[in-house]
Amino acid sequence: MMPVEIKKGLWQLPVVDWNVRDFHGYSVYQGTTYNTYLAVGDKITLFDTVKKDFAGDLLGMIAKIVDPAKIDYIVVNHAEPDHSGALPAIVEAVCPEKIFCSAVCKNALMDHFHDDTMPFSILTNGSETDIGGRTLYFMETRMLHWPDSCFSYLKEDKVLISSDAFGHHWATSERYDDEVDFSKLMRQCAKYYANIILPYSNMVQKVLSSVSSLNLEIDVIAPDHGLMWRKNIPAILSAYDEWSRHCLKNKAVIVYDTMWKSTEKMALSILDGLKSEGINTELMSLTHNHRSEVMTDILDASVVVFGSPTLNNGMLPSVNDMLCYMKGLKPAGGRIGGLFGSYGWSGEAVAEMKEYMVKAGLEMPEEPLKTKYVPDSDVLDQCFEYGRTLARHSAAKICV
Ligand code: FEO
């Protein structure tokens, strides 16, 4: 990929990872990008680096604009290794005068690289620093999504370098939001939010409020993954506001796995019951859907129903995996939860699942539904009614 000039002397250097497919449990089936930014003025400043394996690609891209050895400053907005893994190699090649970062980020970088020779220069929240004819306004955005996460706002350029926030995992040859299909872009953003940002929604609200109160003029939001925002800035800010407020839709998701189709029969009757109350319902088998896609659909659902048969006195491993993942992401906000499953002789799966659902923050107004071996027509009628009841509970939770 070629560098992209965003504003005069301000470049995006997109390193595209076309072939990555897994991001610690998140399915990045369309790859990702690690974006860095280069400001060329009286001083030359690099914002963030890339994954360790891509250090050579980044140096090659910098060399299309300037000799890397001429870089004066490196700004580190985030210590996670997809943005800092290449830092030691870049520092060795560049020998920067200063590495700007927050105190928290410096500690995190020290804990990663154990190198006290790096020329750290600490920036504080709200500080302004001249970087050779440009003003860097620095914002600590702790826990969005690591303690060290920060934004860099370039005042004269009106460009907000937002680290992971507003990003998405999607390898494309296009570089701006208005160059791709908008609905595909928003699905990728929702997936990113649901799988990475969701537990830090309170912090998102604080950061949105702080950006709004500062009245920052923003022509471009430049995240460290994916496409830059120049046309649809209000849309992505509004989406982050809705997602972080757990603004729920008239939507249910049934997540299940099955052994001999009994639990699946129950799932289908629950779906009919939900649908009969006018709630849009997704049926997601864990045999056929990746956990990160399921989580994306849960993001704005007002009802989340899990089903598993009992196997060896517990739930199926696929359901355990999904629930463990969801518990960490904490889809709270008053979502209504439901549970169901078949069993042969013991039937512990629903009780085991309930512990995860409660820890994930779901409200569980109804007792779980379970059936011995194969559901008959009476049980399927109960499943239908169960779906209807869950839909009615959810009515008060819907905000869009
Ligand atoms: Fe893309 Fe939190 O690193």
Side-chain angles (χ1 to χ4, degrees), residues 9 19 21 170 212 223 387:
N19 296 321
R21 289 293 177 267
W170 190 12
S212 167

Side-chain angles (χ1 to χ4, degrees), residues 23 78 80 82-83 145 164 192 225:
F23 208 88
H78 182 22
E80 192 163 8
D82 51 335
H83 308 295
H145 67 129
D164 284 325
Y192 193 89
H225 296 291

Side-chain angles (χ1 to χ4, degrees), residues 112-142:
H112 278 77
F113 304 119
H114 312 286
D115 179 356
D116 60 9
T117 67
M118 287 193 184
F120 291 114
S121 179
I122 301 304
L123 297 182
T124 54
N125 184 43
S127 62
E128 292 195 355
T129 306
D130 177 72
I131 53 166
R134 284 184 162 85
T135 310
L136 161 61
Y137 180 82
F138 191 70
M139 298 171 67
E140 288 194 62
T141 57
R142 294 184 189 187

